[in-house]
Amino acid sequence: MAKKVEKRYLFPADYMADPSVHVFNGKIYIYPSHDWECENVENDNGDQYVMKDYHVLSIEGDPMTGKVVDHGCVLKLENIPWHGRQLWDCDVAEKDGKYYMYFPMKDRSDVFHWGVAVADRPEGPFIPQPDPVRGSYSIDMCVRKDEDGEYYVYFGGLWGGQLQRYKEDIHLETPYLPEGDADSLPARVVRLDKKTMLQWDGPSKPVYVVDENGKQLKADDPHRFFAASWTFK
């Protein structure tokens, strides 16, 4: 007889999604997006999502049964100098005792760029930098520290994530979203300037998803990249 698995809701009281999870100082920290009830029209641009702040959650004790602690609002849209709207999926990295939150946000022209906010503790509060990361675009950042001490960010999202508006980091006059048996649009990865953790260290590169023969997946393949990449080793 199959063993019954009991569901556990980490935060049932609100709309939180797409979390990144890290262990800092021996404790699990969860960094989700935070949506709000609204009456916006639902479309492929994601206009139905409000997402005007971030919360940080942590788990006390056993990760499967321990108490979930909401550390409250750690960053608000209106406190970011270049804000337009929509704080989508974020991620956090630690370096030399500082915690860096990388987040996507639309500017006042409704174009996604990255912001960086810095904290002294993994639970925040996070203080935003005055300007977006130079050359940044699209959404859903995942930060990974490699064994050589370099930090890499995987990112990108189609449709409302605006990845189709760029080619090799250059903004396109006419967005290109492949269809049918054309090669799918890949995610991107970029190395951070580890001296400051606030800017890119050179251009981004494509991250291809391939089939069993090493061929890049086509645009109509349901397994092709869409959004919200995540890496672990």
Side-chain angles (χ1 to χ4, degrees), residues 31 54-56 71-76 79 98-101 117-128:
Y31 302 91
Y54 290 114
H55 283 232
V56 175
H71 295 277
C73 180
V74 299
L75 180 63
K76 293 183 178 180
N79 292 335
K98 294 285 186 179
Y99 297 86
Y100 298 85
M101 175 183 283
V118 187
D120 293 323
R121 301 177 299 174
E123 66 270 26
F126 287 85
I127 307 302

Side-chain angles (χ1 to χ4, degrees), residues 32 39 49 76 85 95 124 136 138 152-153 158 177-178 186-187 220:
E39 297 180 355
Y49 304 123
K76 293 183 178 180
R85 63 190 181 114
K95 182 177 184 292
S136 61
S138 201
Y152 296 88
V153 184
L158 306 186
L177 190 59
D220 60 0

Side-chain angles (χ1 to χ4, degrees), residues 9-67:
Y9 296 96
L10 290 179
F11 201 81
D14 218 338
Y15 300 104
M16 294 195 179
D18 298 333
S20 61
V21 182
H22 294 279
V23 176
F24 293 129
N25 305 323
K27 182 185 291 188
I28 293 177
Y29 288 91
I30 304 168
Y31 302 91
S33 59
H34 182 206
D35 201 9
W36 292 67
E37 190 73 56
C38 68
E39 297 180 355
N40 290 355
V41 176
E42 183 172 351
N43 56 37
D44 289 343
N45 291 324
D47 287 328
Q48 65 270 28
Y49 304 123
V50 178
M51 296 187 291
K52 55 188 178 181
D53 63 17
Y54 290 114
H55 283 232
V56 175
L57 311 178
S58 67
I59 299 179
E60 300 283 358
D62 188 282
M64 300 304 294
T65 61
K67 178 183 178 182

Side-chain angles (χ1 to χ4, degrees), residues 18 44-46 49 51 54 85-91 102-106 110-115 136-142 153-164 166 187-189 200 225-230:
D18 298 333
D44 289 343
N45 291 324
Y49 304 123
M51 296 187 291
Y54 290 114
R85 63 190 181 114
Q86 294 186 328
L87 296 168
W88 287 24
D89 304 349
C90 67
D91 199 7
Y102 301 90
F103 60 89
M105 185 181 67
K106 288 180 177 178
D110 240 17
V111 177
F112 270 117
H113 298 291
W114 303 10
S136 61
Y137 58 96
S138 201
I139 62 169
D140 293 352
M141 284 76 82
C142 167
V153 184
Y154 297 80
F155 69 95
L158 306 186
W159 299 358
Q162 302 182 353
L163 186 61
Q164 68 275 6
Y166 297 82
R188 309 291 296 184
V189 62
W200 291 8
F225 171 76
F226 182 78
S229 53
W230 181 260

Side-chain angles (χ1 to χ4, degrees), residues 4 10 12 50 72 85 107 124 134 151 164 168 204 230 232:
K4 183 179 179 180
L10 290 179
V50 178
R85 63 190 181 114
D107 63 14
R134 292 189 298 271
Y151 291 79
Q164 68 275 6
E168 302 303 328
S204 73
W230 181 260
F232 61 92

